[in-house]
């Protein structure tokens, strides 16, 4: 027994010696060659902020592309933050004031991205477009305009902006024998008929304050004033927001609330609640943006969606604007921080291309989202409602969205002013607040 134990111990000792020798071999070799073992390469740190935080199909499509980049680039330590839309713009303003922008971030077109450009916070992505010419040439004409400065592109639109689509529930219109309105008088008649039958005429959720401005006023006011007047007023160059035509547009807006067009508590409901209220058949109409298409596709049943049709806002008698139009244009995109350099810059550009390139844009389009990009849409992968809206978007004139041209102070003034207007405020007072804010912000 003792002899057997000695043999086992000797074997173990021998094996341990061999393993130790093997374990030390690389060190000996490295030492013999005069080289030092290299530490593992550090990961490239990259951050991205966006507001695609919801359960709608477009948000899921964007997040899926971000995850695809993350999986394909293990060398990158990606910090991706999805921030709810209602508080997103303010969060960006806060970090911008401290010069602590994320490396890549979603920004709206027009005034929003211009503020980052004017502040010296972003850098162009023109080199990415030049590197991928087929991608560049497939964007629709004018797609880069509100995202470019000094002939350089600072972001590409992830989707097309159509903020004033006029949705209506065909089954409710048929049930109460109501004509789909094409004029303001017909809209007034429709509101009264639905109101008399205890059906909410128009679903509205203006808790975040921007919706009444972006989706209703932007298009309604253009019907009254015409586009040229608004562009002059926004620059305070030959027109003022206290002019009679704009006061008239606000008066038209107020008349909707005075007629009882909206459900109770509309200033306490958000955009999602507004859309749910409509898709469930509790309201006959809704004036909303193209984002509603992907939201309703995600939450509505086929039976509910089959009842919904889409058209343009009714015309207004004596108006100077084109009635066959909707407010909109190229949407926002992913901007690039001025601070990104070297490997971080390379990774940031690759991330932007993964989300915004042909594959990403196709995924967004097939999530029932309008895009400013030439694409072969597979009709079997989208809802009939989206296909109808997609063709409508291509057939009408696009007019300015107010918050894409107003200063931040002007936008805040009209957003808050519309909340007041719709619960009894005076058009003249709202017009003056907007005028004063815009003048002060522009320094005129």
């Amino acid at each position: 027994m003792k002899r057997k134990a000695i043999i086992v111990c000797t074997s173990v000792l021998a094996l341990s010696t061999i393993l130790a020798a093997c374990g030390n071999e690389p060190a000996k070799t490295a030492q013999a060659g005069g080289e030092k073992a290299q530490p593992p390469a550090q990961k490239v740190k990259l951050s991205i902020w966006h507001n695609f935080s919801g359960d709608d199909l477009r948000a899921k499509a964007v997040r899926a592309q971000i995850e695809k980049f993350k999986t394909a680039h293990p060398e990158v330590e990606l910090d991706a933050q999805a921030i709810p839309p209602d508080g997103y713009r303010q969060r960006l303003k806060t970090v911008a004031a401290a010069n602590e922008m994320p490396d890549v971030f979603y920004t709206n077109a027009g005034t929003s991205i211009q503020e980052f450009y004017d502040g010296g916070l972003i850098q162009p992505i023109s080199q990415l477009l030049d590197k991928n010419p087929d991608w560049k040439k497939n964007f629709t004409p004018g797609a880069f305009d509100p995202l470019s400065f000094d002939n350089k592109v600072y972001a590409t639109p992830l989707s097309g902006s159509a903020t004033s689509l006029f949705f209506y529930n065909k089954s409710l219109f048929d049930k109460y024998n109501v004509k789909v309105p094409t004029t303001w008088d017909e809209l007034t008649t429709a509101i009264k008929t639905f109101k008399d039958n205890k059906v909410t005429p128009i679903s509205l959720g203006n808790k975040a304050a921007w919706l009444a401005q972006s989706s209703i006023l932007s298009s309604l006011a253009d019907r009254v004033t015409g586009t040229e007047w608004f562009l002059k007023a926004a620059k305070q160059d030959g027109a003022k927001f206290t002019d009679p035509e704009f006061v008239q547009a606000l008066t038209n807006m107020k008349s909707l609330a005075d007629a009882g067009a909206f459900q109770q508590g509309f200033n306490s409901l958000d955009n999602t609640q507004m859309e749910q209220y409509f898709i469930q058949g509790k309201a006959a109409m809704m004036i909303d943006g193209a984002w509603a298409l992907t939201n309703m596709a995600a939450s509505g049943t086929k039976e509910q969606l089959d009842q919904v049709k889409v058209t343009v806002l009714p015309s207004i008698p004596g108006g100077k604007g084109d009635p066959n139009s909707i407010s909109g244009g190229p949407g926002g995109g992913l901007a690039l921080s001025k601070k990104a350099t070297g490997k971080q810059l390379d990774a940031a550009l690759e991330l932007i291309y993964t989300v915004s390139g042909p594959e990403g844009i196709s995924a967004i389009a097939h999530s029932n989202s309008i895009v400013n990009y030439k694409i072969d849409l597979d009709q079997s992968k989208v809802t009939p409602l989206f296909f109808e809206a997609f063709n409508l978007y291509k057939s009408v004139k696009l007019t300015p969205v107010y918050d894409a041209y107003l200063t931040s102070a002007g936008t805040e003034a009209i957003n808050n002013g519309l909340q007041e207007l719709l619960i009894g405020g005076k058009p003249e007072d709202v017009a003056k607040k907007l005028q004063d804010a815009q003048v002060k912000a522009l320094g005129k």
Side-chain angles (χ1 to χ4, degrees):
M1 290 292 291
K2 289 182 180 179
R3 185 173 179 274
K4 189 174 183 180
I6 291 171
I7 293 172
V8 170
C9 290
T10 304
S11 299
V12 170
L13 180 61
L15 180 61
S16 299
T17 303
I18 293 170
L19 290 173
C22 291
N24 289 333
E25 191 64 30
K28 288 180 180 178
T29 304
Q31 191 174 13
E35 298 174 3
K36 293 183 179 179
Q38 295 296 319
Q42 288 188 334
K43 286 191 173 185
V44 177
K45 292 186 177 182
L46 188 67
S47 60
I48 178 173
W49 284 17
H50 61 86
N51 61 2
F52 300 98
S53 60
D55 293 327
D56 62 277
L57 301 182
R58 182 179 65 163
K60 290 180 178 179
V62 171
R63 294 200 302 267
Q65 291 301 115
I66 294 173
E67 283 301 313
K68 181 177 180 180
F69 170 86
K70 190 173 182 178
T71 301
H73 295 275
E75 78 282 5
V76 177
E77 184 180 321
L78 185 64
D79 175 18
Q81 295 194 35
I83 301 167
D86 288 352
Y88 181 71
R89 196 166 179 176
Q90 187 55 49
R91 284 280 299 275
L92 278 183
K93 285 183 180 180
T94 300
V95 295
N99 195 21
E100 296 176 350
M101 301 297 291
D103 303 314
V104 177
F105 62 96
Y106 177 81
T107 175
N108 290 323
T111 300
S112 292
I113 192 171
Q114 180 160 4
E115 289 177 348
F116 298 123
Y117 170 77
D118 290 342
L121 298 172
I122 55 177
Q123 59 180 302
I125 63 164
S126 299
Q127 69 270 41
L128 187 61
L129 287 160
D130 294 339
K131 183 181 176 182
N132 300 279
D134 288 340
W135 174 50
K136 180 179 180 179
K137 73 181 182 182
N138 276 325
F139 282 94
T140 56
F144 301 143
D145 291 353
L147 297 161
S148 301
F149 306 96
D150 294 330
N151 297 317
K152 294 179 180 178
V153 181
Y154 283 77
T156 60
L158 285 179
S159 57
S161 170
T163 71
S164 60
L165 296 172
F166 188 91
F167 297 98
Y168 63 95
N169 187 310
K170 186 176 183 299
S171 63
L172 289 175
F173 272 77
D174 290 344
K175 181 178 179 179
Y176 296 106
N177 196 29
V178 178
K179 182 182 184 298
V180 177
T182 58
T183 68
W184 194 257
D185 286 344
E186 289 173 353
L187 176 61
T188 301
T189 299
I191 290 171
K192 184 178 185 308
T193 301
F194 288 120
K195 186 75 176 171
D196 289 345
N197 285 280
K198 296 181 171 44
V199 175
T200 298
I202 303 174
S203 184
L204 176 62
N206 197 42
K207 181 179 181 179
W210 60 267
L211 192 129
Q213 166 266 126
S214 179
S215 294
I216 304 179
L217 183 71
S218 290
S219 190
L220 187 159
D222 190 85
R223 298 276 194 278
V224 178
T225 69
T227 300
E228 184 179 355
W229 177 91
F230 169 69
L231 295 177
K232 287 181 178 180
K235 295 177 181 178
Q236 291 294 293
D237 182 16
K240 297 179 179 180
F241 287 106
T242 48
D243 289 346
E245 50 263 66
F246 185 65
V247 174
Q248 179 59 51
L250 291 174
T251 301
N252 284 106
M253 182 90 171
K254 185 177 186 299
S255 72
L256 296 175
D258 290 346
F262 311 121
Q263 70 270 51
Q264 290 290 323
F266 55 81
N267 275 340
S268 300
L269 301 175
D270 63 25
N271 186 219
T272 300
Q273 291 171 309
M274 168 184 107
E275 290 164 354
Q276 287 296 305
Y277 192 86
F278 172 73
I279 197 66
Q280 291 169 5
K282 297 177 181 178
M285 296 169 278
M286 179 176 71
I287 305 166
D288 201 2
W291 53 83
L293 296 163
T294 188
N295 291 346
M296 290 190 291
S299 62
T301 66
K302 182 180 183 304
E303 291 73 19
Q304 289 172 334
L305 291 170
D306 285 346
Q307 304 306 314
V308 180
K309 300 296 179 184
V310 61
T311 184
V312 298
L313 200 69
S315 64
I316 296 178
K320 300 176 183 177
D322 185 346
N324 189 38
S325 64
I326 53 178
S327 50
L334 296 177
L336 178 61
S337 169
K338 191 72 170 284
K339 293 182 177 180
T341 58
K343 291 183 178 179
Q344 187 185 55
L345 174 59
D346 294 339
L349 289 170
E350 181 62 27
L351 173 58
I352 290 173
Y353 186 71
T354 300
V355 178
S356 313
E359 184 179 310
I361 291 292
S362 179
I364 290 171
H366 286 97
S367 74
N368 294 275
S369 295
I370 290 171
V371 295
N372 292 106
Y373 195 81
K374 298 172 186 174
I375 192 168
D376 293 326
L377 194 66
D378 186 343
Q379 192 173 348
S380 68
K381 294 182 179 180
V382 297
T383 65
L385 175 61
F386 172 74
F387 197 70
E388 182 181 353
F390 182 73
N391 288 325
L392 176 69
Y393 179 78
K394 293 190 295 183
S395 68
V396 299
K397 176 185 176 182
L398 297 178
T399 60
V401 184
Y402 266 48
D403 58 16
Y405 289 83
L406 294 174
T407 62
S408 293
T411 297
E412 184 176 358
I414 189 60
N415 286 354
N416 294 336
L418 290 176
Q419 282 194 328
E420 297 169 8
L421 181 76
L422 296 177
I423 57 173
K426 295 181 179 180
E428 295 82 3
D429 293 344
V430 175
K432 187 176 188 306
K433 288 179 181 178
L434 172 55
Q435 174 65 18
D436 291 347
Q438 192 72 357
V439 167
K440 184 177 180 180
L442 293 175
K444 292 191 175 184

